[in-house]
Amino acid sequence: MFQPYDLTPLDHFSPPGHLNISLIFSLVDKDHAQALRRVKDAITRVVSEFPFLTGMVVPSTQPDGRSNVLQVRPATAAELKECPILVTQYHTEPTPLTVDGKYNTVLVPFPIVYPPPNPSHVLRLKANVIGDELHIVWCFDHRVIDGSGFATLAFAFASFCRDLNAPRPSASAYAQEKIRHHIKEIASTATPQDLQWTTAPPSTGKDKVSTDSSRVPISVLRVLDSRKIEKLHQACNTALQSLPEKYTKGLSEMSLSPNLIVSALVSICSSRARSRAFPDEQESSSEIFLVANIRKALNLPQGYIGNTIVGLTSKFDVSAHPPLETLRDIHVALPLSPVGPEDIWRICNIAQTLQEESIHLGKRYAQGMIATMSRKRDWSSFQPRWGMNSFICVSDLKKGWFYGDCGPLGDLQLFDLPFDAIPGFCWIMPDPPSASLLPHPSWRLRWNLERAAIEHLSSDPLFQWASTPSEDRKHAKI
């Protein structure tokens, strides 16, 4: 049991709803019953260390009149009976992972809907045995746990799978409480700073999820060729050195990272796919929101489970023509064809803006954002435009810790994030263990857009070029 607690402003900033993450293990030559017992025992140990994981997210009444503030309270016996922390199912019939482009609902512990229900489960899991594979699907409310927080839970789970008597996590439940209190102190003492992202319009209370099939969000796994990304990365940095100073945002001496190049590519291709899918409704400009973790800027322990994400943003218009003087200075090598100077310019422009924002995202600004959020009378008023047609959120998980030895379950074979509740998200996925055998691991992307936009994505020239394997890799296993 635990005492109810209010979520922090950073928790209220995150996408409102549940993420579903699937951890896939091979059960070949393993004792199925022993593996499932270890899953149950390890999860029991995890929730005993962090009891709030069993709780429910509900509205919180504030004495000062602030609205849309949420808290986590213990689940009732009836709520736990209706939806236990962990359920297990043996699938005797062939079970597809997707149905009509959507993640198969029989694999999740409860229906994932947007907006989320009230009350909302903090964390529930379902262990699915499908043939010789075990798919453990974790569904958690993003307003309580962010990506780094999930990595902490996954690390603890793996540790307890190997040894049920393993030492408890360093960031205990008590430590989590102290960190939340520290964030509250920051909110009350820091100097407010302007929020850099475009906030969502107020909810009318009548918002409906579209039933138009073309607008249904679906999630697809797409792979970008590493050799192509290397060439694109080199071309962008070369172009950056040749551009007139007024177009380099003062960053001409700096190098853009491959992750920024991929993020910019995702935003451009997503915007063009959406404009082709919905030509009458596309806004004049789009906005990329690149997730940034401010744990380090706030001096918070890495083991903190709550949210510490904000965003680096860049607005752009893919239909606008770049300045002619910039195109004259951008020379594209033949191997990049059909990528032209226009796309090189767009990628550089977006990536530079994101890098410029990251430079300014220090302790003072991070604390100031929390202070600004905390002072709002309505704690839903500072959310970005999650799910809107001109908004794409990119989250980089490539260097995250998710793969490891899980005792009787063996090594994790695949980490997947087939979230498809609302459109406009792309995750740069962590490399699977097999990637270590390749000199140039591919870029795996979990791309979530409207169905019609996904269909147009495959015909985008920039995406086609980046996703087509290089000649020396066509026979390599990705």
Side-chain angles (χ1 to χ4, degrees):
M1 189 62 69
F2 64 95
Q3 291 297 315
Y5 67 90
D6 286 344
L7 295 177
T8 72
L10 289 170
D11 292 324
H12 287 77
F13 166 84
S14 66
H18 292 91
L19 291 185
N20 50 306
I21 288 179
S22 179
L23 304 184
I24 303 174
F25 298 87
S26 171
L27 293 177
V28 174
D29 297 328
K30 294 185 179 72
D31 185 321
H32 290 200
Q34 180 190 19
L36 290 172
R37 278 196 305 271
R38 184 51 61 95
V39 170
K40 179 181 178 181
D41 292 342
I43 292 300
T44 299
R45 179 78 198 275
V46 169
V47 298
S48 71
E49 298 293 342
F50 305 107
F52 61 87
L53 297 176
T54 66
M56 309 292 287
V57 179
V58 296
S60 172
T61 302
Q62 298 294 302
D64 61 2
R66 282 176 299 173
S67 62
N68 293 310
V69 178
L70 301 170
Q71 72 170 199
V72 176
R73 64 152 173 84
T76 65
E79 288 168 337
L80 287 172
K81 182 178 180 180
E82 179 183 6
C83 188
I85 299 302
L86 172 68
V87 293
T88 300
Q89 181 176 351
Y90 284 87
H91 297 265
T92 56
E93 300 294 329
T95 304
L97 301 185
T98 59
V99 177
D100 194 24
K102 304 284 286 182
Y103 193 64
N104 196 337
T105 56
V106 304
L107 302 176
V108 295
F110 57 83
I112 297 178
V113 296
Y114 182 84
N118 175 28
S120 168
H121 304 290
V122 171
L123 171 69
R124 299 296 183 266
L125 302 94
K126 186 170 184 179
N128 300 277
V129 179
I130 307 175
D132 283 325
E133 288 187 338
L134 172 62
H135 295 239
I136 306 177
V137 180
W138 302 57
C139 292
F140 59 91
D141 195 317
H142 202 329
R143 297 170 296 185
V144 184
I145 305 167
D146 69 4
S148 294
F150 177 79
T152 294
L153 298 179
F155 187 87
F157 171 73
S159 176
F160 296 143
C161 279
R162 294 191 299 271
D163 179 4
L164 290 174
N165 297 313
R168 64 191 320 172
S170 58
S172 63
Y174 176 67
Q176 303 291 323
E177 181 181 347
K178 288 182 64 177
I179 297 170
R180 290 192 295 268
H181 181 72
H182 177 60
I183 294 174
K184 185 177 180 180
E185 288 183 336
I186 291 174
S188 63
T189 59
T191 301
Q193 300 284 331
D194 291 338
L195 306 181
Q196 298 301 316
W197 54 87
T198 305
T199 55
S203 173
T204 63
K206 299 180 182 179
D207 302 328
K208 294 183 179 180
V209 177
S210 175
T211 56
D212 182 349
S213 175
S214 68
R215 297 183 181 276
V216 171
I218 61 174
S219 176
V220 296
L221 183 64
R222 294 292 182 258
V223 178
L224 304 184
D225 181 80
S226 60
R227 298 275 190 178
K228 298 283 186 70
I229 297 303
E230 285 179 8
K231 293 174 183 176
L232 186 61
H233 177 225
Q234 293 169 0
C236 288
N237 278 315
T238 299
L240 187 63
Q241 305 304 321
S242 63
L243 289 175
E245 186 175 350
K246 65 179 179 179
Y247 295 112
T248 61
K249 304 181 188 296
L251 303 174
S252 58
E253 299 302 319
M254 301 184 68
S255 174
L256 301 171
S257 70
N259 302 64
L260 286 178
I261 300 301
V262 170
S263 298
L265 180 152
V266 166
S267 64
I268 291 168
C269 294
S270 296
S271 181
R272 288 200 291 228
R274 282 170 149 176
S275 64
R276 291 169 185 145
F278 312 108
D280 298 329
E281 300 179 22
Q282 189 71 8
E283 297 182 24
S284 58
S285 66
S286 298
E287 182 178 20
I288 177 177
F289 184 96
L290 180 61
V291 171
N293 192 332
I294 57 173
R295 276 172 172 76
K296 185 175 181 180
L298 297 175
N299 296 321
L300 301 182
Q302 284 298 314
Y304 178 52
I305 293 173
N307 284 277
T308 60
I309 61 171
V310 293
L312 311 175
T313 63
S314 176
K315 292 184 179 180
F316 59 95
D317 182 357
V318 293
S319 64
H321 293 289
L324 289 178
E325 61 181 308
T326 65
L327 298 183
R328 287 196 298 266
D329 294 321
I330 297 177
H331 304 286
V332 181
L334 184 61
L336 269 72
S337 178
V339 180
E342 293 85 357
D343 274 342
I344 296 294
W345 156 256
R346 293 186 181 104
I347 292 171
C348 283
N349 197 38
I350 293 171
Q352 280 189 97
T353 302
L354 296 174
Q355 181 154 298
E356 183 181 29
E357 287 204 8
S358 70
I359 292 172
H360 297 122
L361 189 57
K363 180 178 181 179
R364 179 174 174 271
Y365 182 61
Q367 291 182 337
M369 284 191 292
I370 298 174
T372 299
M373 295 177 192
S374 179
R375 285 162 171 74
K376 299 287 187 182
R377 301 301 298 170
D378 179 357
W379 274 24
S380 68
S381 65
F382 47 75
Q383 285 195 349
R385 300 184 302 156
W386 307 120
M388 295 191 176
N389 192 32
S390 59
F391 182 90
I392 179 73
C393 174
V394 180
S395 182
D396 185 0
L397 304 177
K398 194 170 180 64
K399 300 301 182 183
W401 186 97
F402 298 103
Y403 289 95
D405 174 20
C406 291
L409 307 183
D411 291 339
L412 176 64
Q413 298 299 302
L414 186 65
F415 168 95
D416 201 7
L417 208 166
F419 171 81
D420 56 17
I422 54 176
F425 291 84
C426 183
W427 285 271
I428 302 176
M429 300 295 282
D431 293 328
S434 57
S436 63
L437 304 176
L438 300 174
H440 302 280
S442 299
W443 292 76
R444 299 173 60 250
L445 307 177
R446 255 299 175 182
W447 217 319
N448 175 350
L449 293 173
E450 300 84 355
R451 187 188 303 276
I454 287 292
E455 293 172 356
H456 283 277
L457 177 65
S458 60
S459 61
D460 183 273
L462 176 58
F463 171 76
Q464 282 186 330
W465 173 82
S467 59
T468 302
S470 301
E471 288 298 324
D472 58 345
R473 297 202 53 184
K474 285 187 176 179
H475 302 291
K477 183 179 179 180
I478 298 175

